[in-house]
Amino acid sequence: MDTTRFERYAKYARRYLMEQVEKKLIQILVYTDGKASEQRRVYPKQVSDLEMEIDKTCHIKIVTGATKIDTKPMQELIEKVAYTWFNRFCALRFMDVNGYNKVNVISPLPGHFQPEILEEAKAGHIDESLVKENYRTKVYNLLSGKETHPDPQSEAYRILIRSVCNYYADTMPFLFERIDDWTELLMPDDLLSGNSILAYTREAMVPGVCKNVEVIGWLYQYYIAEKKTEVQDGVKKGKKVQSKDIPAVTQLFTPHWIVKYMVQNSLGRLWLDTRLNSHIKENMEYYVKPEQDSDQLREKGLIELSSPEDIKFCDPCCGSGHILTYAFDLLYEIYSEEGYSPTEISKLIIEKNLYGIEIDERASELSALALTMKARAKDKLWFSRKI
């Protein structure tokens, strides 16, 4: 897989989104010519919540009427919000390309220029299961001109994106936890132009590369690459690595052939030791036959496995889930060989077999997303099952 496109996009996206979030913070909080910002006037509660979040996480009190603010102490908050939107935009694009969304959220239909969900809304069609009634009304009013706004189309689209994110909060809470109002305020303004972050997302995540869930891990690795370099440069100058920076410094992307070797000779071997006639070995090109045969292991009492549901597979530093997603594939073969119904296999693998441990919360979110995408690929009704 050629990852050059991902690298350029992810590095650009991090810088761009952080700049946008910082600009929005200043725009919202600063008074100009003694006047409060439009957001402060229109969304007073959300702005108040944002100020409380800044006080809690950055230990800074925003003074009412301030004509300028210092955003340097807010960098951790800025980076968190920027990554939240990067994560969600990439996930929604991946689901668009693979046909997992009810309607394309980030992507236009072939030959069109605007995201399908916005075009549908302009035509008077909004999925009631995706968007609540009060938000549907607001979108229609914005698009029809009943409600005035400096950029009604962009505002309507922002509402649609927020609604979709909240729709997925039940099935993917690790990535789409319900959006706090203040977080929505910091969503980038430009989402529809040819130079928007979504246009670059579509350009990087073309259909060909989105066939493989591995793209999610590659994007994250490159997103944090500059942060990793910053921390390493600091170490060379004698600075200690802070606990919040450990994830960025320790992330490594395991090549797929190594992943296959590890999983085939652990999970694969375990199954072959219990099922001598299993055919999964035919697809395990990196499998190494053990010196001890399964009969000797049974004599020592080392094998007790009545069904694949008994298997517990854990990656103790799972990162973005590269090893777990291949383990999912192998487990799916095992369950299929045992005669399980395709409608129950994904659920059993997620609920009974796979576990991951990770110090980087962002990476663990992507690991869970990658496994969810694996499950959805095998089970078209996965999201409706509310697992």
Side-chain angles (χ1 to χ4, degrees):
M1 183 188 293
D2 181 9
T3 60
T4 307
R5 183 192 283 122
F6 306 152
E7 184 173 6
R8 283 199 308 266
Y9 161 68
K11 289 180 177 179
Y12 166 79
R14 179 175 179 266
R15 291 192 297 268
Y16 174 84
L17 287 170
M18 289 183 69
E19 287 170 7
Q20 289 295 303
V21 171
E22 188 169 8
K23 281 181 184 176
K24 294 281 294 218
L25 271 173
I26 296 170
Q27 180 187 54
I28 292 166
L29 300 175
V30 166
Y31 282 66
T32 305
D33 298 327
K35 295 180 180 178
S37 65
E38 181 189 354
Q39 293 93 335
R40 191 181 285 278
R41 295 193 301 271
V42 178
Y43 306 108
K45 183 184 181 302
Q46 291 93 322
V47 174
S48 176
D49 290 343
L50 172 59
E51 290 176 335
M52 289 173 61
E53 183 68 22
I54 292 171
D55 183 20
K56 183 175 77 173
T57 60
C58 309
H59 310 295
I60 300 170
K61 290 239 182 243
I62 302 299
V63 179
T64 303
T67 56
K68 63 179 181 178
I69 58 170
D70 181 9
T71 57
K72 286 183 182 177
M74 303 180 195
Q75 290 307 301
E76 197 172 331
L77 176 68
I78 290 169
E79 186 159 357
K80 175 184 175 183
V81 175
Y83 183 71
T84 295
W85 287 115
F86 172 78
N87 228 0
R88 289 174 177 176
F89 292 156
C90 290
L92 291 170
R93 170 62 176 171
F94 185 90
M95 289 192 284
D96 277 353
V97 169
N98 287 287
Y100 300 161
N101 287 320
K102 294 185 174 184
V103 58
N104 286 340
V105 181
I106 302 296
S107 317
L109 291 172
H112 294 244
F113 298 98
Q114 291 191 323
E116 184 186 8
I117 195 171
L118 178 59
E119 287 202 343
E120 285 285 299
K122 288 163 73 174
H125 309 300
I126 301 178
D127 191 317
E128 294 182 6
S129 66
L130 286 177
V131 186
K132 291 182 179 178
E133 184 179 359
N134 58 326
Y135 290 122
R136 292 199 305 274
T137 301
K138 188 170 179 65
V139 168
Y140 287 137
N141 287 343
L142 283 163
L143 294 176
S144 66
K146 289 181 181 179
E147 186 172 325
T148 58
H149 191 277
D151 189 351
Q153 205 166 227
S154 291
E155 183 64 13
Y157 184 47
R158 287 159 60 87
I159 293 169
L160 293 170
I161 286 183
R162 170 185 171 156
S163 297
V164 172
C165 288
N166 286 340
Y167 168 79
Y168 281 122
D170 292 335
T171 51
M172 291 183 277
F174 46 84
L175 190 68
F176 292 104
E177 68 271 19
R178 296 205 171 271
I179 298 175
D180 296 325
D181 290 333
W182 66 265
T183 309
E184 187 195 6
L185 287 177
L186 300 177
M187 191 192 303
D189 282 328
D190 178 17
L191 296 175
L192 294 173
S193 80
N195 291 317
S196 70
I197 187 63
L198 297 189
Y200 287 114
T201 302
R202 293 190 292 267
E203 187 180 308
M205 298 180 69
V206 294
V209 302
C210 287
K211 290 178 181 177
N212 195 330
V213 78
E214 204 175 298
V215 67
I216 293 170
W218 279 115
L219 284 169
Y220 181 60
Q221 173 167 306
Y222 289 126
Y223 186 90
I224 62 171
E226 290 182 342
K227 176 75 171 178
K228 184 174 184 176
T229 301
E230 288 171 19
V231 177
Q232 289 175 334
D233 288 345
V235 171
K236 291 174 185 176
K237 295 174 183 176
K239 291 183 181 178
K240 290 185 178 179
V241 177
Q242 297 183 38
S243 58
K244 64 183 178 64
D245 295 326
I246 289 175
V249 180
T250 55
Q251 281 294 333
L252 290 172
F253 195 86
T254 312
H256 198 54
W257 74 268
I258 295 179
V259 169
K260 283 188 168 185
Y261 175 85
M262 293 167 64
V263 176
Q264 289 173 10
N265 289 284
S266 53
L267 172 61
R269 177 177 294 178
L270 174 68
W271 186 249
L272 290 173
D273 282 340
T274 62
R275 298 294 190 276
L276 299 179
N277 298 319
S278 173
H279 295 291
I280 68 164
K281 185 163 59 175
E282 296 168 10
N283 298 320
M284 297 200 307
E285 66 269 45
Y286 297 103
Y287 177 68
V288 179
K289 192 171 189 257
E291 291 182 6
Q292 281 187 307
D293 62 31
S294 52
D295 290 334
Q296 290 175 304
L297 292 171
R298 284 194 190 87
E299 287 174 11
K300 293 178 180 179
L302 297 178
I303 299 177
E304 287 185 23
L305 202 61
S306 60
S307 82
E309 295 178 48
D310 296 334
I311 297 171
K312 307 294 182 200
F313 183 95
C314 178
D315 182 350
C317 44
C318 66
S320 54
H322 197 182
I323 292 172
L324 291 174
T325 54
Y326 179 63
F328 180 100
D329 291 339
L330 193 54
L331 282 163
Y332 200 94
E333 281 190 56
I334 290 170
Y335 274 102
S336 298
E337 187 176 74
E338 288 290 286
Y340 281 76
S341 165
T343 58
E344 63 179 337
I345 295 176
S346 293
K347 181 176 186 292
L348 289 170
I349 292 174
I350 296 296
E351 292 186 339
K352 292 181 176 289
N353 301 129
L354 296 181
Y355 299 82
I357 301 169
E358 177 54 53
I359 61 171
D360 184 351
E361 186 177 354
R362 294 174 181 176
S364 69
E365 289 170 358
L366 293 181
S367 186
L369 172 65
L371 286 171
T372 302
M373 295 302 99
K374 279 286 185 182
R376 171 58 184 80
K378 296 291 189 181
D379 181 1
K380 291 182 179 180
L381 299 177
W382 179 262
F383 292 138
S384 64
R385 298 187 197 283
K386 304 291 183 185
I387 297 170

